[in-house]
Amino acid sequence: MNSPKPSMSLTKPEAFDLTLKQRISTAIGLIGLFILVLATCNVNFPNKPVFLALSLIMISVGVIVFANDMYLGKLEGIKNDGVMFKSISSRGLWAWISGIAFTGFYILLYFKAEWLGLGVDGAANTGLVALFDPLSRLLNGGQASQWFVYGTLYTIAILAFGYKFLLKYRHNRYERLRTFSVMFFQLAFAFLIPEFMARLNSDSFSLPYYDLKNIWPLNYYNFEQYRVNSMIEAGDIGLALLIFGILSIFVITPILTFKYGKRWYCSWVCGCGGLAETAGDSFRHLSDKRQVAWKIERWVVHSVVVFVTLMTTAVVYSYLGDDSSKYWLTKNTFLMSVAVLLTVVFALVMIFKHEQLAKDAKYGAIGYFVIIMVLIGMHYFNGSNLFLVKAESLRQFYGFLIGAIFSGVIGTGFYPIFGNRVWCRFGCPMAAILGFQQRLFSRFRITTNGGQCISCGNCSTYCEMGIDVRAYAQKGENIVRSSCVGCGICSAVCPRGVLKLENDNMKGRINSNDILLGNDVDLMDLVNQK
Amino acid sequence: MEHIVIIGNGISGVTLARQIRKLSDKKITIISSETEHFFSRTALMYIYMGHMTYEHTKPYEDWFWEKNRIELRNAYVKHIDTEYKNLKLADGGNLGYDKLVIATGSKPNKFGWPGQDLDGVQGLYSKQDADQLEITAPNNKVCKRAVIVGGGLIGIELAEMLNSRNIPVTFLVRESSFWDGVLPEVESQMINRHIKNHHIDLRLSSNLKEIKGDENGHVKSVIIEETGEELACDLVGLTAGVTPNINFLKGSKIETDKGVKVNAFLETNIKDVYAIGDCAEQQEPIGNRRPIEAVWYTGRMMGETLAQTICGNRLAYKPGHWFNSAKFLDIEYQTYGWVFGRKGRPDYEQHFHWKHEDDTKCITIAYHKQTNEFLGINTFGIRMKHEVFDKWLTEKRDVDYVMQHLKSANFDPEFYTHYEKEILATYKKNLEPSTF
């Protein structure tokens, strides 16, 4: 149930040491990284395009050669050999070193980008950011920002480690297709398309940087004034983007989640999920499986949703007008529609689905609902400062705490310590909303194969979302959990073929046959005898 | 309050305790000298291979036991006094009971080979065995070669484990083909090839003659009976089956043979004493089943059944249709109903085989020669639905029906290639044209 004990790797079996080829490939990758470190330290490379290419290629080649050596010599099949003995994947010394290094990088990225060489106030870039200028000019015509540097490295990580993932699970077609999908969406939607869109911008035409697959509330900033303004000003294309942004929340998302579960997004499309699945795959077993972690998860993740809803409402409200003759959407109309929408959702759930919710979920839902309604009501009747604080400070607070610290610094920097889906599990408001939909109405479930489970625990161990899959499997019960991202690894690692991800009809989705699996007993008889 | 004492914290004992707690308020004590908490024995191999840690193999968190008022006692039972309903423990303590359940499982077979008790000779069943393996064979420098004796499911798991640490393995199998006492020939031969593909030195039709030790009492080599060849090794894994772990019952009044004799209600000859799991021996075998079934699933079912009896709803142990599963290195295996290997196959049983050209997937369907009734299926590399086959066996479907509807029983992950069409085509080709 608990995660592995920290191994300082003094006694690990020698058979799990790196082979010579793996050592060499690690060295190649590290040299590639070292070029970036040198650039950060303001070493001025004479031919930037060459050194940038060299660095990125060496990093990729290092990962690819390492993966080849690790998996190609073996027959296809699940090979998690030695995961618990390796320092990097068992919270050993290397895990801490890399965790701290990644975290350091994130802190610089978010809060001290000028240390990475970002030119402030129109100054030219230096250092690391300058190294990426040539690539940035090639793609979007402008000079690089720290986010361009990050986006490039992020994409390289997903592609190179995606290749490793593909080799590791090459016997499993579901895993292969899913990985191609996240690699594609990262490269095209998250990286190239926004850069090309930026290229179209001119003095008279401007679109915000828009990763089309990022949906509110993951892109919590999508409905801020400057973005909405720039989309409206950009004419038909901009308006289409704005409408698409709204449709994706209220129409596209629920339909896809109904049909396929939240996995269509979390493990096939999303960039955070993409990085977690590829670069984070070696750390998936580190997720906390204790019941207490599950309890914390439910409260934290839903609080984030509530927070982001309030915050967005406040932000949108703050730039709307009062005069209904100028534009139909006024402060009051907007606030009323939010209140009505939340009430409708809340009422529908409580009327039709209340028996599917656990007691604490019900209390939580009621509690949150009351709080939001009181805040809206207070404002409506009182006209005081919205939600007691300024919309802008609310947004800054969210951006700092959730957007930067949670999703970046802890969520990704601490992969080697907390596992690869900490952000998705505890912090992502998008995952929580999709999970809510998945739990209440979706054809997706993980089915278990009758009485064939041997409770070995591979499924639970390798569940990145910390779900105790085994607890369901040993009872022969279908798994319908809001947190499940449908990565399919539980099914892949099961040595008895007990688990399967499925889209089927809603009927019989949640079954609780905690019964005598495999015993020949007339169930009705047994129940009547009790 | 009635006190139920369970000796053994394996799957049968723990299932029993959990079910009793669900049904009643009785006092429950589980005694084990193996581990403090219940863990899943089936996952021992993954600890050695580094896929999991011991903590991962515990299906319940440590607080679970106290919360559910199941008392855990770390002790070894030396003697059972059924007259006074009292247990004598090795540490000198005593424990009274109202109802006693023996669920002590198995121990690895030893057939009196010379040298079988040397250092470095061991089976693979208990947590202690796994810990010992970590000492004897931590890597390929300490253990330069391992010899595994006996060609069953534990044997191949042990081979896979040692293989994961690059320890060269010689696998001595008495039979002329791996596990062919159970598997039909085509399947067994496919597994032979799969084992060899993993660079495991598989020696068929090979018996162990003697294990030789060095001056320190540690194993040095083994001698093969047929060829007289001497193989130097540092570890000998004995995996030639298991026997009930019931030595401690000697001198008690509880009737035993190979295992603890029980009736259909899992009751022994002594009132209020029961036996379940690997160590129980049925007086009357059930259907085609053996009197002792050292299978994880049956242990669990016995626990579930006995809980009903102990809580006042006397229920006979009536396992449904036979099923089992395993994994041979990278190939998953499932079986539903009865498919016999050469040994013990009834005259009426006929087989249909299909094997994929990649040599890692195949199925065998057994049916009745005269009536065409479907009897059972073995699948390798293709996952099948338990529920569906259970239903078909109960409905006594004929083999044609099963072949036509095989697709509805498929349990492979999404996007996997399906072979039902190919299987059906092969099946049709094998039959006389008049049938279709």
Side-chain angles (χ1 to χ4, degrees):
Chain A
M1 205 66 51
N2 297 319
S3 321
K5 303 251 170 1
S7 135
M8 299 314 262
S9 79
L10 289 174
T11 56
K12 90 180 142 99
E14 288 163 48
F16 295 110
D17 262 348
L18 298 185
T19 64
L20 183 66
K21 216 169 169 186
Q22 288 168 7
R23 281 170 206 269
I24 293 172
S25 51
T26 309
I28 294 174
L30 286 179
I31 294 171
L33 265 181
F34 191 62
I35 294 177
L36 300 182
V37 174
L38 287 180
T40 312
C41 301
N42 279 322
V43 172
N44 206 2
F45 289 103
N47 196 339
K48 288 206 172 71
V50 172
F51 273 92
L52 178 65
L54 193 67
S55 162
L56 299 183
I57 288 171
M58 282 179 96
I59 292 172
S60 312
V61 165
V63 176
I64 289 168
V65 174
F66 189 98
N68 285 347
D69 186 63
M70 192 139 174
Y71 300 115
L72 281 185
K74 295 178 189 160
L75 298 183
E76 294 179 7
I78 290 293
K79 302 284 187 300
N80 284 315
D81 297 348
V83 165
M84 300 297 167
F85 303 131
K86 288 175 184 153
S87 173
I88 182 81
S89 53
S90 67
R91 289 193 192 133
L93 191 61
W94 283 111
W96 283 100
I97 291 175
S98 46
I100 290 166
F102 285 132
T103 308
F105 174 68
Y106 269 97
I107 290 173
L108 289 183
L109 193 70
Y110 278 102
F111 309 111
K112 285 283 171 216
E114 60 275 17
W115 291 12
L116 295 174
L118 182 74
V120 197
D121 299 326
N125 290 330
T126 55
L128 180 66
V129 183
L131 189 66
F132 282 75
D133 277 342
L135 183 63
S136 180
R137 287 217 178 81
L138 183 72
L139 294 177
N140 63 32
Q143 66 171 11
S145 68
Q146 85 267 40
W147 302 118
F148 182 82
V149 174
Y150 180 51
T152 311
L153 294 175
Y154 200 101
T155 307
I156 297 269
I158 288 188
L159 295 180
F161 285 99
Y163 173 80
K164 177 170 180 269
F165 193 90
L166 286 169
L167 283 193
K168 181 173 180 186
Y169 297 99
R170 63 190 187 278
H171 62 292
N172 189 317
R173 195 131 174 254
Y174 179 78
E175 297 303 336
R176 272 181 357 234
L177 291 176
R178 191 171 67 82
T179 308
F180 281 129
S181 172
V182 290
M183 286 163 80
F184 165 76
F185 276 104
Q186 176 60 32
L187 183 64
F189 279 68
F191 188 59
L192 294 178
I193 293 178
E195 299 300 338
F196 294 151
M197 274 163 66
R199 189 145 220 175
L200 299 174
N201 286 349
S202 63
D203 293 338
S204 56
F205 177 82
S206 160
L207 282 174
Y209 188 94
Y210 197 2
D211 175 355
L212 290 165
K213 67 178 174 47
N214 256 12
I215 300 170
W216 181 91
L218 193 59
N219 58 0
Y220 55 91
Y221 41 77
N222 205 33
F223 299 108
E224 276 171 39
Q225 186 163 19
Y226 79 94
R227 278 183 81 92
V228 174
N229 285 349
S230 102
M231 285 194 265
I232 289 173
E233 280 157 18
D236 290 346
I237 300 178
L239 206 60
L241 285 183
L242 188 61
I243 292 171
F244 174 76
I246 296 170
L247 279 184
S248 58
I249 309 167
F250 295 108
V251 182
I252 302 174
T253 296
I255 290 177
L256 286 174
T257 309
F258 166 69
K259 289 188 105 144
Y260 307 111
K262 75 195 238 192
R263 57 183 173 151
W264 73 269
Y265 190 72
C266 294
S267 63
W268 284 73
V269 171
C270 177
C272 308
L275 190 73
E277 294 293 340
T278 51
D281 178 59
S282 315
F283 311 109
R284 55 185 320 123
H285 54 283
L286 298 171
S287 60
D288 196 331
K289 309 295 180 333
R290 288 172 304 160
Q291 201 188 50
V292 57
W294 181 23
K295 288 184 176 162
I296 296 171
E297 167 193 330
R298 284 183 294 184
W299 282 102
V300 175
V301 77
H302 293 115
S303 305
V304 174
V305 182
V306 171
F307 191 28
V308 79
T309 309
L310 275 179
M311 186 266 294
T312 308
T313 309
V315 166
V316 173
Y317 178 89
S318 70
Y319 61 77
L320 290 175
D322 283 318
D323 188 354
S324 65
S325 64
K326 275 191 189 144
Y327 194 61
W328 65 272
L329 191 62
T330 59
K331 277 185 184 334
N332 282 342
T333 332
F334 176 69
L335 217 50
M336 284 307 280
S337 359
V338 171
V340 168
L341 180 75
L342 292 175
T343 313
V344 168
V345 170
F346 180 77
L348 285 178
V349 169
M350 284 300 159
I351 293 166
F352 294 109
K353 297 284 180 181
H354 65 99
E355 75 283 354
Q356 293 190 15
L357 296 174
K359 221 190 235 164
D360 61 337
K362 255 181 254 175
Y363 292 152
I366 295 170
Y368 282 137
F369 182 71
V370 170
I371 293 172
I372 295 182
M373 286 305 147
V374 165
L375 282 173
I376 291 180
M378 264 168 64
H379 174 79
Y380 196 65
F381 292 110
N382 221 345
S384 65
N385 213 348
L386 188 74
F387 308 137
L388 312 173
V389 249
K390 268 205 208 140
E392 188 49 27
S393 21
L394 209 59
R395 196 201 69 82
Q396 274 173 0
F397 188 61
Y398 185 91
F400 172 75
L401 204 68
I402 313 292
I405 298 288
F406 208 154
S407 82
V409 179
I410 300 175
T412 310
F414 276 90
Y415 272 6
I417 305 302
F418 296 136
N420 56 338
R421 286 264 193 183
V422 176
W423 158 248
C424 312
R425 186 181 172 194
F426 292 93
C428 178
M430 181 73 191
I433 290 181
L434 293 179
F436 185 65
Q437 297 170 355
Q438 170 166 283
R439 180 74 181 78
L440 294 179
F441 59 90
S442 172
R443 290 145 47 93
F444 170 70
R445 85 287 308 267
I446 307 176
T447 44
T448 55
N449 198 10
Q452 287 276 20
C453 172
I454 49 169
S455 294
C456 71
N458 270 292
C459 50
S460 292
T461 306
Y462 285 90
C463 176
E464 56 192 350
M465 295 303 282
I467 301 171
D468 190 3
V469 188
R470 163 175 53 195
Y472 298 83
Q474 64 192 359
K475 288 185 270 193
E477 207 176 304
N478 288 348
I479 301 158
V480 181
R481 281 279 293 270
S482 46
S483 57
C484 176
V485 291
C487 69
I489 296 296
C490 56
S491 160
V493 295
C494 176
R496 296 292 183 270
V498 174
L499 300 157
K500 184 186 178 194
L501 315 186
E502 272 187 288
N503 307 311
D504 204 338
N505 56 35
M506 294 283 288
K507 221 181 125 203
R509 187 171 74 115
I510 302 172
N511 64 336
S512 54
N513 14 327
D514 189 4
I515 51 158
L516 310 155
L517 294 164
N519 265 359
D520 205 3
V521 175
D522 187 328
L523 263 183
M524 283 326 289
D525 260 11
L526 188 66
V527 172
N528 292 336
Q529 278 166 6
K530 270 184 195 171
Chain B
M1 208 184 336
E2 197 177 33
H3 186 192
I4 315 290
V5 174
I6 303 164
I7 311 178
N9 69 348
I11 181 63
S12 24
V14 163
T15 307
L16 172 70
R18 278 185 49 240
Q19 298 293 330
I20 293 178
R21 179 51 74 239
K22 277 191 184 173
L23 299 169
S24 78
D25 220 23
K26 296 179 199 296
K27 182 176 174 188
I28 306 171
T29 303
I30 301 181
I31 304 179
S32 167
S33 60
E34 186 183 6
T35 52
E36 191 185 348
H37 296 106
F38 169 53
F39 74 99
S40 196
R41 197 172 297 296
T42 46
L44 276 179
M45 65 182 292
Y46 300 108
I47 301 178
Y48 180 84
M49 289 164 68
H51 295 210
M52 299 165 80
T53 61
Y54 171 63
E55 288 297 318
H56 286 120
T57 68
K58 292 182 190 171
Y60 307 101
E61 286 181 67
D62 292 351
W63 49 258
F64 175 88
W65 309 100
E66 203 185 322
K67 191 187 164 214
N68 288 286
R69 286 169 294 116
I70 296 172
E71 199 173 312
L72 304 177
R73 199 66 200 264
N74 194 298
Y76 181 82
V77 176
K78 245 173 109 177
H79 180 72
I80 301 176
D81 185 344
T82 49
E83 206 143 313
Y84 293 95
K85 293 194 164 182
N86 186 50
L87 304 177
K88 266 204 173 58
L89 305 176
D91 60 14
N94 284 291
L95 188 68
Y97 65 83
D98 296 310
K99 287 196 169 111
L100 178 70
V101 182
I102 301 164
T104 48
S106 311
K107 58 183 193 315
N109 274 335
K110 290 183 174 181
F111 291 119
W113 292 294
Q116 65 182 13
D117 295 317
L118 286 165
D119 270 359
V121 182
Q122 66 165 100
L124 183 68
Y125 188 87
S126 63
K127 174 76 167 45
Q128 283 75 12
D129 291 336
D131 293 343
Q132 182 58 43
L133 192 66
E134 194 63 60
I135 296 167
T136 314
N139 55 46
N140 56 15
K141 300 211 170 59
V142 176
C143 179
K144 294 196 174 60
R145 174 165 291 276
V147 174
I148 297 172
V149 182
L153 296 177
I154 299 182
I156 197 164
E157 285 185 357
L158 185 56
E160 182 179 359
M161 291 158 68
L162 296 163
N163 208 34
S164 78
R165 295 201 186 182
N166 298 328
I167 295 171
V169 176
T170 298
F171 196 3
L172 302 185
V173 174
R174 191 177 55 173
E175 293 77 25
S176 60
S177 183
F178 177 79
W179 218 38
D180 70 350
V182 177
L183 298 180
E185 219 174 335
V186 183
E187 297 172 353
S188 152
Q189 284 170 359
M190 184 180 91
I191 300 300
N192 289 343
R193 291 187 291 272
H194 188 63
I195 294 172
K196 287 180 182 162
N197 286 343
H198 281 83
H199 310 296
I200 291 165
D201 174 26
L202 176 66
R203 310 277 186 100
L204 299 168
S205 307
S206 300
N207 280 281
L208 172 67
K209 186 178 178 199
E210 188 188 345
I211 306 170
K212 285 189 159 179
D214 61 15
E215 60 281 6
N216 303 320
H218 195 278
V219 60
K220 189 180 77 183
S221 63
V222 299
I223 295 180
I224 299 174
E225 173 127 20
E226 283 72 14
T227 57
E229 187 185 351
E230 181 168 357
L231 285 170
C233 62
D234 303 294
L235 170 78
V236 177
L238 300 181
T239 60
V242 290
T243 34
N245 177 23
I246 53 165
N247 280 350
F248 72 105
L249 291 180
K250 272 179 197 150
S252 77
K253 296 209 171 79
I254 301 166
E255 189 194 347
T256 60
D257 184 12
K258 274 186 180 143
V260 184
K261 292 295 244 182
V262 293
N263 63 15
F265 295 91
L266 303 164
E267 298 158 336
T268 66
N269 61 320
I270 310 282
K271 194 176 175 297
D272 292 334
V273 179
Y274 309 83
I276 51 174
D278 285 15
C279 67
E281 179 177 358
Q282 294 284 331
Q283 287 160 5
E284 310 275 334
I286 303 163
N288 280 330
R289 289 164 184 265
R290 294 179 192 169
I292 300 176
E293 286 184 325
V295 179
W296 196 90
Y297 305 110
T298 51
R300 190 199 65 214
M301 289 187 248
M302 286 188 213
E304 289 174 341
T305 312
L306 184 60
Q308 295 285 335
T309 302
I310 283 180
C311 296
N313 174 26
R314 192 159 177 262
L315 210 62
Y317 170 57
K318 254 173 44 190
H321 300 292
W322 169 256
F323 67 95
N324 201 2
S325 57
K327 194 172 180 186
F328 303 103
L329 300 158
D330 296 316
I331 300 181
E332 285 172 22
Y333 155 74
Q334 296 180 336
T335 183
Y336 302 101
W338 291 107
V339 181
F340 283 93
R342 238 182 325 186
K343 207 173 79 185
R345 185 190 303 174
D347 290 334
Y348 56 78
E349 185 178 320
Q350 189 129 337
H351 287 178
F352 161 74
H353 287 291
W354 168 87
K355 187 163 82 66
H356 190 259
E357 57 188 14
D358 76 0
D359 210 24
T360 63
K361 297 168 202 81
C362 73
I363 68 166
T364 302
I365 290 184
Y367 58 98
H368 197 291
K369 216 181 265 181
Q370 276 94 37
T371 63
N372 265 357
E373 186 189 326
F374 167 67
L375 300 173
I377 183 169
N378 280 356
T379 70
F380 289 80
I382 299 176
R383 296 177 173 182
M384 293 285 178
K385 268 186 199 145
H386 187 173
E387 224 181 305
V388 173
F389 279 110
D390 210 52
K391 196 164 143 252
W392 288 348
L393 286 163
T394 304
E395 293 168 352
K396 295 189 186 299
R397 291 291 182 179
D398 67 25
V399 60
D400 289 345
Y401 180 90
V402 170
M403 295 306 300
Q404 302 282 359
H405 295 83
L406 208 52
K407 198 168 189 255
S408 63
N410 187 293
F411 198 68
D412 273 335
E414 289 158 314
F415 306 118
Y416 266 45
T417 313
H418 284 239
Y419 301 99
E420 286 85 13
K421 258 191 203 153
E422 208 182 313
I423 295 170
L424 187 61
T426 315
Y427 175 72
K428 281 181 178 167
K429 218 168 65 188
N430 289 0
L431 290 180
E432 288 86 4
S434 65
T435 320
F436 275 90

